[in-house]
Amino acid sequence: MREIPCWWVELPETKYQKALDLQLAVVESKNSGRLEADVILCLEHPRVFTLGRRGGRENLCVSDDFLSEKKVAVMPTDRGGNITYHGPGQLVVYPIIDIKRRRIKVVDFVSGLEQAMIRTAAHWDIPAGTDPANRGVWLGGNKLGSIGITVRRGVSFHGLALNVNTDMEPFDWINPCGLDRVRMTSFERHMGGPVPMEEACGEMARHLSVVFGISLTTLPAEQLYGKIAFKM
């Protein structure tokens, strides 16, 4: 079978809604047949709580007034999972991949995303692992990375969030992923100092390529916008 192209696209810090609009535009272009290539977006978000298909407002432990004062938005989404936090210093990756065409089962796709996070952490000798009871990546009893995806007509979107240099305080305002008494951690907290985000992004790209056997081609964001007629 002819190899399906896959573009690796790095974005600047991007508001959650804009990134979601871009994902949906890529998904629609793929499902309509106008775009063959798969696309993996790598970015950071401004501070925001997102809700999953299972809800999550019940796991928000602070008031709307408090969030307004802290300038943290709350966004409903159609991804899997419950409430989570995104913010600067967190590596967010959205793989928009035709997993049906690539013959990847959803459960294997999620496991592959976990492995990519684990291998990225291992680059800094951080011993991350999985928890059979809960999806995502863990460091001891603390959660290091989260996963929530959606699949539309065989094409995945949404993805993973890995805490690299993330401010941990907003996680104290929720029950992360709907799990009571779960604490979050980050590369920075474990190592006692920040990790270069550019290096973390590069490691993530390398490990996603290996885990899924996909060759990645770096594509400037502006070229992606042009190919799908998207206005950022």
Side-chain angles (χ1 to χ4, degrees):
M1 184 175 69
R2 184 171 61 87
E3 185 173 3
I4 306 164
C6 189
W7 299 332
W8 176 262
V9 181
E10 296 182 17
L11 302 177
E13 184 176 290
T14 304
K15 288 184 177 180
Y16 187 85
Q17 186 62 56
K18 273 291 185 184
L20 180 56
D21 291 344
L22 176 57
Q23 290 181 76
L24 293 173
V26 175
V27 171
E28 194 279 328
S29 294
K30 290 184 63 61
N31 281 334
S32 68
R34 291 185 289 110
L35 181 67
E36 179 189 28
D38 290 332
V39 176
I40 303 179
L41 305 176
C42 181
L43 66 151
E44 297 172 62
H45 288 304
R47 305 204 312 170
V48 62
F49 289 117
T50 63
L51 311 176
R53 286 193 298 269
R54 286 186 285 169
R57 269 201 173 269
E58 70 281 4
N59 287 301
L60 188 59
C61 305
V62 293
S63 69
D64 289 343
D65 288 343
F66 178 88
L67 293 177
S68 179
E69 179 185 335
K70 295 291 186 178
K71 297 181 179 178
V72 183
V74 179
M75 300 284 299
T77 79
D78 62 348
R79 64 163 171 76
N82 203 283
I83 192 169
T84 195
Y85 168 75
H86 298 302
Q90 185 186 69
L91 181 63
V92 176
V93 178
Y94 294 132
I96 309 166
I97 292 177
D98 191 335
I99 61 173
K100 182 177 180 181
R101 187 176 177 190
R102 289 187 183 271
R103 299 178 181 176
I104 304 172
K105 295 179 181 178
V106 172
V107 65
D108 294 333
F109 184 65
V110 172
S111 294
L113 296 179
E114 290 174 335
Q115 285 303 311
M117 288 195 283
I118 289 169
R119 295 182 187 197
T120 298
H123 178 73
W124 285 276
D125 296 321
I126 299 172
T130 57
D131 178 346
N134 296 294
R135 280 298 191 180
V137 169
W138 300 75
L139 182 57
N142 299 326
K143 196 168 188 182
L144 183 65
S146 302
I147 294 174
I149 68 165
T150 296
V151 178
R152 184 173 295 176
R153 292 171 55 192
V155 176
S156 71
F157 61 110
H158 296 294
L160 65 85
L162 183 61
N163 295 323
V164 180
N165 304 318
T166 319
D167 176 12
M168 293 285 101
E169 184 183 12
F171 285 112
D172 293 336
W173 306 337
I174 60 173
N175 294 319
C177 306
L179 301 173
D180 190 19
R181 292 186 295 277
V182 165
R183 293 192 62 81
M184 304 293 289
T185 192
S186 68
F187 286 19
E188 182 178 30
R189 177 171 286 183
H190 177 77
M191 298 182 67
V195 164
M197 286 297 289
E198 184 177 352
E199 188 175 356
C201 189
E203 285 299 307
M204 179 61 70
R206 183 166 71 91
H207 293 302
L208 285 170
S209 177
V210 171
V211 167
F212 292 114
I214 294 174
S215 296
L216 301 182
T217 300
T218 300
L219 186 78
E222 292 75 16
Q223 289 189 29
L224 174 63
Y225 305 154
K227 290 176 184 293
I228 63 173
F230 182 79
K231 293 182 179 181
M232 194 65 174

